[in-house]
Amino acid sequence: MENLQKLKHLQELYKLRAFGFDYYSKPKEPQVESKFDMQLPSNFTKLKDIVLNCSLCSLSKSRKNIVFGEGNENATVMFVGEGPGSVEDETGRPFVGRSGQLLSKIIETTLELKREDVYIANIVKCRPPLNRVPTKDEAQTCLPYLLKQIELIDPKIIITLGATAYQYLSGDYDSSISKIRGEIVEFKNAMLMPTFHPSFLLRNPSAKRYVFNDMKKVKALL
Ligand code: URA
């Protein structure tokens, strides 16, 4: 790592500590390269073309639309969910159902950003039947696409929504989401913060306060 980059990392660390963060070192990242050695293009339009024609896993058989992700391709903040639900499958857009409406509200009220300012994607780009959790195999097959999106967007902060998104992206299967949420985890060039999934908040409105606190920390880092 270049000295200047090291210095920038150190500055971020001191800033985080001043905000009262605990800092977690890099968890084991998923070994996605070993599954499919995909040479993906470093161009969003070309990448999207490839993804929209993907049939690498069985989710492609039941999907109506591929949900590539949407938002600002130069975003500072990126959200990663688990996988498309039924409204997302119908429309081809991420987080547009009930939990999506709550996510938009969280972005606007806590981060004081517009939904279009951030980038929103999922671990898997096709809806798992009956909204089941994507299998590890499905997640690992799809992950190179998300990792390429992350590389191209190069966000400062990645917020994973729910346990599944955190586990599959970070490769950390040991930490419980209730313990790790709100903490900063090092992830490639970015800071990753796990928080609860909006659909969990719809079922447990009293947990909204934790997510609001997490987003306050994110706002302080912007
Ligand atoms: N839940 C997710 O995890 N992603 C979506 O896009 C919608 C609901």
Side-chain angles (χ1 to χ4, degrees):
M1 204 188 301
E2 297 291 326
N3 281 343
L4 198 70
Q5 217 183 342
K6 271 189 194 160
L7 209 77
K8 269 172 71 183
H9 275 278
L10 259 178
Q11 277 177 336
E12 289 291 352
L13 278 171
Y14 286 131
K15 208 159 108 187
L16 285 166
R17 207 167 286 155
F19 282 121
F21 280 94
D22 276 337
Y23 196 86
Y24 282 71
S25 60
K26 206 176 188 151
K28 201 157 35 82
E29 282 178 28
Q31 295 301 304
V32 285
E33 291 81 6
S34 60
K35 184 150 172 62
F36 289 103
D37 189 17
M38 284 196 245
Q39 293 299 313
L40 294 170
S42 292
N43 168 298
F44 248 96
T45 314
K46 287 185 184 156
L47 177 67
K48 191 167 179 179
D49 268 359
I50 291 174
V51 173
L52 292 187
N53 287 298
C54 180
S55 54
L56 286 178
C57 85
S58 61
L59 294 183
S60 62
K61 297 199 177 84
S62 51
R63 72 173 179 234
K64 286 189 184 151
N65 282 294
I66 291 186
V67 182
F68 178 72
E70 68 180 24
N72 181 353
E73 291 168 10
N74 298 307
T76 308
V77 182
M78 180 165 178
F79 286 87
V80 177
E82 180 177 310
S86 66
V87 191
E88 290 77 19
D89 186 41
E90 289 289 342
T91 58
R93 298 182 56 209
F95 280 98
V96 285
R98 275 186 75 220
S99 55
Q101 284 161 20
L102 178 55
L103 177 63
S104 301
K105 205 168 143 195
I106 291 170
I107 293 167
E108 282 158 21
T109 57
T110 62
L111 298 183
E112 296 176 50
L113 291 172
K114 292 198 226 74
R115 185 182 151 111
E116 311 84 79
D117 295 332
V118 305
Y119 198 90
I120 306 176
N122 281 301
I123 295 288
V124 291
K125 306 214 177 292
C126 298
R127 182 192 183 196
L130 302 170
N131 297 343
R132 64 162 170 73
V133 174
T135 64
K136 199 166 179 178
D137 205 53
E138 289 158 355
Q140 293 208 333
T141 303
C142 211
L143 256 173
Y145 298 141
L146 177 63
L147 294 177
K148 194 71 190 180
Q149 283 171 301
I150 292 174
E151 183 192 314
L152 295 178
I153 295 165
D154 195 20
K156 185 173 180 186
I157 302 175
I158 300 169
I159 300 162
T160 52
L161 302 166
T164 308
Y166 172 67
Q167 289 174 349
Y168 284 146
L169 187 58
S170 70
D172 170 14
Y173 295 90
D174 299 327
S175 312
S176 94
I177 185 71
S178 336
K179 291 246 170 68
I180 195 92
R181 60 138 274 281
E183 304 297 348
I184 294 282
V185 171
E186 191 189 346
F187 184 82
K188 297 186 185 286
N189 287 337
M191 292 179 272
L192 186 157
M193 180 187 279
T195 195
F196 290 137
H197 194 286
S199 67
F200 173 76
L201 301 183
L202 289 172
R203 296 190 305 273
N204 302 277
S206 64
K208 281 183 187 169
R209 65 181 190 279
Y210 297 113
V211 174
F212 281 90
N213 278 340
D214 297 347
M215 293 306 108
K216 257 201 252 162
K217 288 185 187 174
V218 170
K219 173 109 178 87
L221 294 169
L222 294 180

